[in-house]
Amino acid sequence: MVKKEKLLYIVLFLMLFSNATLRNQEHLKLYISISFIVCICAFFRGILKPSRISKTILNGFTIWLIVLFFMYFFYGIVLIKYDYFDTDYFFFMFIMILITIVFFVDVYYKIIMEIFIKVCAFTSIAICVYIVFNELSLIISGETRIGESGSGNVNTVAVYLGTMSIPLIYKVIFEKRYIYMLPYSLTIILMLLTGSKKSLIFIIL
């Protein structure tokens, strides 16, 4: 692993893990603190190489992102009955996506994919351990559904794990990297234990 890439691994892991496990009322302060640390890292990464900031601003994806989130902001203002998805939430997500672009805007595509897949492997294991540790008593007692200790509800956890399972099974099938069967298997087992119907979509895929 190249030394300058270690930061990318750490930051991406923190973002994926915190979004899957800490984005709830109980851990909101910790979630915001991690996000703030990520923003600080992105700031200094931009300062060290200003071209990253200019590339982010002039990126075609950024323009598309602005248009997309403008619609989301409107959604947050008009549909106020869904207080969880208000304008503050969408603004926060917009900033975090821009931060992600700053981190990866000058990284070669194949390196990005390799980083993403490896981080998905480590993060999926970490999420499984986190949920099992927090809900061990429920598992022992024979509870039919687990995953409430993650972000949102069991469906949210299942979707996060399902999304991360796709690059893992790709590595196994197409590149014969059977080491990825471990995180993939743990992910599938936990997805089934959530009892979420959405998890079945990813498993079938």
Side-chain angles (χ1 to χ4, degrees), residues 3 18 28 52 54 95 114 148 156 169 180 182 191:
K3 187 174 181 179
S18 62
L28 187 60
R52 289 169 179 152
S54 60
I95 294 299
E114 195 63 28
E148 291 291 348
T156 305
I169 194 61
Y180 287 94
L182 173 60
M191 286 168 63

Side-chain angles (χ1 to χ4, degrees), residues 11 14 31-43 103:
V11 165
L14 288 174
Y31 175 70
I32 293 175
S33 298
I34 291 175
S35 300
F36 181 73
I37 292 172
V38 170
C39 289
I40 294 297
C41 291
F43 173 77
F103 276 112

